């Protein structure tokens, strides 16, 4: 990414690479040669003009449709009508839009260090205009459609007579469970003082045998796990702590199981009409059972050790299954931050990895997953992710950074949230969420399950009560539940307003999601935080759309 100092006092030269019929055509506003690192050079011919480029962000959620670029060109020595009649059209051709900076007539970057802005394919090409040369074509560059068909669980990971001959009939058709994190909980009964457990993941009787070498194998996960022991219960409330074993099905798929033979749990040969239903808790204290610390978790973290439960590790693991083009370097850069959020749970139904992430993990994080140059990437909303974040960039409005629009609302009062409740810690056996965390304005009754917030208090005093409740099947960690609740209120306690700025080329270093400290006499702002939510090219400079929060906590009132 080109820096602020590199943009200073520079002229911007757009570069467009279009591959058509195996030939790469290169265009710029004027003819220029770009040197490469190996000493060779590439020539870009003139004629690139009227670039309609814009990108925007919603700051959270998913935006994989991305943006598009519209432009018109004249290709030398190409007759697009003739090519069309031969069966060749520009639609689908690979395109890349980038730029370099020029100072005193000298290109400042080698080709490898150009600022890549947009990568996609040509779409909706218009050609054959009788008033234009035969090589004229107008078209858009759009993101290549992403393929998100990759399943979370392979289709053959299903209990059947083929995968487990002579298996327990009630288990047939069940999908091997994928266990994430350390689902379940251990707590003390407030009235009796006894230790109780939340059992969260299903387990299935898959192999059994009577006689001298009898056994009853219950699958707890369709993969190796981190835990050495788990606690399992049946439909009669019988329970046991058992060591985790590994086996393979008839297809050679490695799975984890426990042998309940000899325990009080209902077994295959037990004379009972009870359904053989088993549930597991992974999060309990091992000390009473001869161990130390917590019991462990499910999916093994091959990169960091232990088990996968940090959101950063979890997202990268799931994205690898998605089948989409992913900007792994971008995700790696925020892995540490996202790993502060802990998720646990299970998956035992056919679902694509991408849909699972969209529905269960991404909504509880202060990020937007969006289309980027190198694939799906994260955009972190730094203003909401951590209390006390102070942006480093300072800008003052001037003729180089000029407000050119009225101030309008970009959110409505209906979007405000100043009391947020999240329900979490799912009991798989009863299919209910057993815990809550609330963030609200009240300050008199703080507890482990209720916390107050200056944002909630100030917002409620100004706008009245605005409530929102959400459920998470994949949060079992109280700190994560509390943090999600606090950040949900932080993000929606106040409405946002927006205005447009026209800026000099030198401000090209500003990116979507950047938080800057803005000083403006006309807006009565003094080093106050604002967010860049859209960026476009005007033909001679940049146009930015800026969001500002009606936030009396961060932004002082003008006197």
């Amino acid at each position: 990414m080109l820096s602020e100092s590199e943009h200073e006092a520079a002229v911007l030269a757009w570069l467009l690479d279009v591959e058509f019929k195996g030939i790469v055509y290169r265009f710029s506003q004027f003819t220029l040669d770009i040197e490469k690192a190996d000493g060779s050079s590439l020539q870009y011919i003139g004629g690139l003009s009227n670039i309609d480029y814009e990108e925007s962000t919603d700051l959270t959620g998913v935006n994989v449709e991305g943006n598009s670029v519209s432009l018109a060109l004249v290709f030398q020595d190409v007759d697009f009508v003739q090519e069309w009649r031969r069966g060749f059209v520009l639609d689908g051709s690979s395109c890349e839009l980038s730029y370099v900076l020029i100072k005193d007539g000298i290109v400042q970057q080698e080709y490898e260090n150009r600022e890549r802005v947009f990568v996609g394919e040509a779409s909706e090409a218009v050609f054959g205009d009788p008033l234009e040369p035969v090589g004229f074509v107008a078209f858009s560059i759009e993101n290549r459609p992403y393929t998100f068909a990759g399943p979370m669980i392979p289709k053959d990971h299903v209990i059947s007579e083929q995968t487990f001959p002579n298996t327990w009939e009630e288990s047939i058709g069940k999908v091997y469970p994928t266990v994430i994190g350390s689902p379940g909980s251990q707590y003390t009964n407030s009235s009796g003082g006894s230790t109780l457990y939340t059992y969260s993941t299903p387990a299935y009787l898959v192999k059994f045998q009577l006689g001298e070498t009898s056994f009853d194998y219950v699958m707890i996960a369709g993969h190796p796990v981190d835990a050495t022991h788990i606690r399992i219960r049946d439909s009669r409330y019988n329970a046991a702590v058992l060591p985790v074993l590994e086996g393979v099905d008839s297809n050679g798929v490695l799975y984890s199981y426990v042998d309940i033979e000899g325990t009080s749990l209902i077994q295959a040969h037990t004379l009972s009409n009870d359904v053989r239903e088993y549930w597991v808790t992974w999060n309990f204290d091992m000390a009473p059972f001869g161990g130390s610390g917590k019991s462990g978790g499910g999916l093994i973290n091959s990169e960091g050790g232990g088990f996968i439960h940090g959101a950063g590790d979890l997202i990268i693991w799931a994205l690898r299954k998605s089948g989409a083009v992913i900007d792994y370097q971008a995700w790696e850069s925020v892995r540490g931050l996202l790993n502060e959020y802990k998720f646990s749970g299970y998956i035992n139904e056919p679902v694509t990895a991408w849909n699972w992430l969209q529905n269960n993990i991404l909504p509880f994080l202060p990020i937007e997953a969006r289309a980027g140059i190198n694939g799906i990437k994260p955009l972190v909303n730094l203003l909401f992710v951590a209390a006390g974040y102070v942006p480093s960039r300072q800008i003052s409005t001037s003729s180089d950074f000029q407000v050119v629009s009225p101030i309008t609302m970009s959110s409505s009062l209906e979007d405000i949230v100043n009391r947020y409740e999240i329900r979490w810690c799912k009991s798989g056996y009863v299919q209910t969420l057993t815990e809550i965390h609330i963030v609200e304005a009240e300050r008199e009754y703080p507890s482990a399950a209720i916390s107050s917030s200056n944002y909630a208090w100030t917002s409620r005093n100004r706008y009245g009560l605005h409530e929102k409740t959400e459920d998470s099947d994949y949060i079992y960690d109280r700190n994560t539940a509390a943090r999600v609740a606090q950040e949900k209120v932080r993000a929606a306690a106040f409405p946002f307003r927006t205005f447009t700025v026209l800026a000099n080329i030198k401000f090209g270093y500003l990116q979507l999601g950047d938080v800057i400290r803005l000083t403006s006499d006309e807006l009565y702002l003094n080093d106050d935080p604002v967010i860049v939510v859209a960026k476009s090219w005007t033909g001679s400079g940049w146009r930015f759309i800026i969001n500002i929060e009606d936030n009396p906590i961060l932004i002082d009132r003008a006197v």
Side-chain angles (χ1 to χ4, degrees), residues 94-113:
S94 297
C95 303
E96 179 192 279
L97 183 67
S98 61
Y99 69 81
V100 292
L101 299 172
I102 300 174
K103 295 183 180 181
D104 299 323
I106 300 173
V107 177
Q108 300 297 297
Q109 291 79 36
E110 293 177 335
Y111 176 78
E112 289 80 3
N113 295 322

Side-chain angles (χ1 to χ4, degrees), residues 438-467:
I438 298 170
V439 171
E440 62 181 7
E442 299 298 333
R443 299 173 175 176
E444 296 181 8
Y445 307 106
S447 72
I450 303 174
S451 54
S452 63
S453 159
N454 284 339
Y455 284 89
W457 186 84
T458 306
S459 173
R460 181 167 178 175
N461 281 346
R462 298 188 69 185
Y463 305 110
L465 179 63
H466 290 260
E467 300 178 277

